[in-house]
Amino acid sequence: MPGNTLPGTSFSTITEALTALTDSSCLSCEKQFPAPVSDLPPVIVHIGEGIYREKLIITRPNVTFEGAGADKTILVYGDAAFDLMPEGDKRGTFRTASVRIDTHDFTAKHLTFQNDSGFGHTVGQALAVYVDGDRNAFYDCRFLGSQDTVFDAPLPLKEAQPGGFKGPGEFKPRTIGRHYYENCFIQGDVDFIFGSGIAWFEHCTIYSKLPGDRVPPESPEDEVIYGYVTAASTPMEEPYGYVFHECSLESDCPPHSIYLGRPWREWAKTVFLHCELGAHIHPVGWQDWKKPHGHFYYGEYASYGPGASPATRADFSHQLTDAEAAEYTVKHVMKGWEPQSLM
């Protein structure tokens, strides 16, 4: 059970704890960058061992969720994009999140975020977490899902088709938030880390799960492609998008069946530094999703393992020089924000 949100206070559900914490002065709607620091005092919500089937929305800044262990405290829900809503339309991607973080300075430790609705081809996109706001950090957490597990917000400025952004962020100003993931386990298959945020992944395990319901329709006729690790939509003016540092990319998929990334929008930026790549990574590494070359930026530095193959990588990708790689520090990428490291 969650407890110790306030001295002497305990609750039977996480929803009750969040309701008690709601404050009219919260900053979730102040979309400035960098986000202002709230005057509200930091609060820790201790969440005990158990499975919490609740659809959660966090809007108060300076909140920490602390679980009993990544495999012991599980926050889970099962909404999916193909679900029919009462008005007759489909739920869509951005109304599926099991947990939506719509605030600044949120921290999570030692717990799991999960969407258990099913495989993407069957149920559609299904977010385990929707991370919006600035200076949000995750330590020793698991993110479990299939297609679109982690939405690292905000949304791109324009939708690809009418109604594509239906959900909580559709009409909001965009905050290009900074997000930090350390010692986390992130599982999915198609585009399972995606969005327009600036994110640093430190010592994380990125697991491409074999989808149990299909060969994705994106597969060309001459090969079988089971998924893509990233689908960034970095804004044109931002020099950095997703950075993976000393991460391990693992999978139960066949060899050469997973791409490192493809650009959800044309200015996508994703770089892997000192990462171990499994045999599931395609020798070409990257897919252009029919976006113009010279806009998006995909790079690697000192990749190793059976999936590391610099000689065969897509000609639009980059093998960073020592000098280029040296520019990728947490402080530099995060524009002065240095989240605490627990390692």
Side-chain angles (χ1 to χ4, degrees), residues 198 234-241 269 271 297 328 332-333 335:
I198 301 168
T234 317
M236 179 177 65
E237 67 276 9
E238 294 297 333
Y240 303 107
K269 299 176 183 72
V271 169
Y297 186 91
Y328 286 83
H332 191 191
V333 171
K335 301 184 178 183

Side-chain angles (χ1 to χ4, degrees), residues 164-179:
F165 289 167
K166 187 173 290 185
E170 183 176 8
F171 301 111
K172 285 187 175 182
R174 307 311 196 228
T175 292
I176 309 301
R178 297 164 292 180
H179 308 142

Side-chain angles (χ1 to χ4, degrees), residues 13 26 50 54 57 74 78 83 102 115 120 140 175 180 207 217 229 237-238 272 276 279 294 299 307 331 334:
T13 68
C26 89
E54 305 176 53
I57 304 173
I74 300 171
D83 295 344
D102 189 16
N115 189 309
D140 187 30
T175 292
Y180 181 77
Y207 195 87
V229 175
E237 67 276 9
E238 294 297 333
F272 289 83
E276 182 177 9
K331 184 176 182 180
M334 294 291 189

Side-chain angles (χ1 to χ4, degrees), residues 135-151:
R135 297 185 302 269
N136 296 328
F138 304 86
Y139 303 90
D140 187 30
C141 289
R142 296 190 307 169
F143 301 84
L144 306 180
S146 180
Q147 184 168 353
D148 293 8
T149 305
V150 173
F151 176 48

Side-chain angles (χ1 to χ4, degrees), residues 92-276:
T93 303
F94 302 102
R95 294 189 287 187
T96 66
S98 298
V99 178
R100 176 160 60 91
I101 299 153
D102 189 16
T103 191
H104 312 307
D105 299 297
F106 172 83
T107 301
K109 302 177 182 178
H110 318 308
L111 52 80
T112 289
F113 300 91
Q114 183 177 8
N115 189 309
D116 66 353
S117 59
F119 293 109
H121 184 67
T122 303
V123 303
Q125 298 90 337
L127 312 181
V129 66
Y130 185 134
V131 185
D132 206 351
D134 194 20
R135 297 185 302 269
N136 296 328
F138 304 86
Y139 303 90
D140 187 30
C141 289
R142 296 190 307 169
F143 301 84
L144 306 180
S146 180
Q147 184 168 353
D148 293 8
T149 305
V150 173
F151 176 48
D152 201 77
L155 291 163
L157 291 177
K158 295 181 180 179
E159 56 192 359
Q161 56 187 16
F165 289 167
K166 187 173 290 185
E170 183 176 8
F171 301 111
K172 285 187 175 182
R174 307 311 196 228
T175 292
I176 309 301
R178 297 164 292 180
H179 308 142
Y180 181 77
Y181 303 80
E182 182 178 294
N183 196 34
C184 291
F185 179 92
I186 306 174
Q187 176 182 290
D189 47 64
V190 175
D191 304 336
F192 62 98
I193 302 171
F194 77 113
S196 304
I198 301 168
W200 184 283
F201 301 84
E202 179 74 21
H203 284 95
C204 292
T205 297
I206 312 299
Y207 195 87
S208 294
K209 179 67 176 172
L210 181 68
D213 62 347
R214 91 299 197 184
V215 174
E218 294 88 352
S219 293
E221 293 181 0
D222 59 341
E223 61 182 350
V224 175
I225 301 302
Y226 280 98
Y228 306 83
V229 175
T230 66
S233 52
T234 317
M236 179 177 65
E237 67 276 9
E238 294 297 333
Y240 303 107
Y242 296 160
V243 178
F244 296 82
H245 180 248
E246 296 187 358
C247 292
S248 176
L249 276 65
E250 302 176 4
S251 181
D252 60 351
C253 292
H256 305 168
S257 64
I258 300 291
Y259 282 92
L260 293 170
R262 59 180 182 173
W264 187 26
R265 291 295 188 270
E266 62 180 292
W267 297 98
K269 299 176 183 72
T270 302
V271 169
F272 289 83
L273 307 169
H274 298 285
C275 290
E276 182 177 9

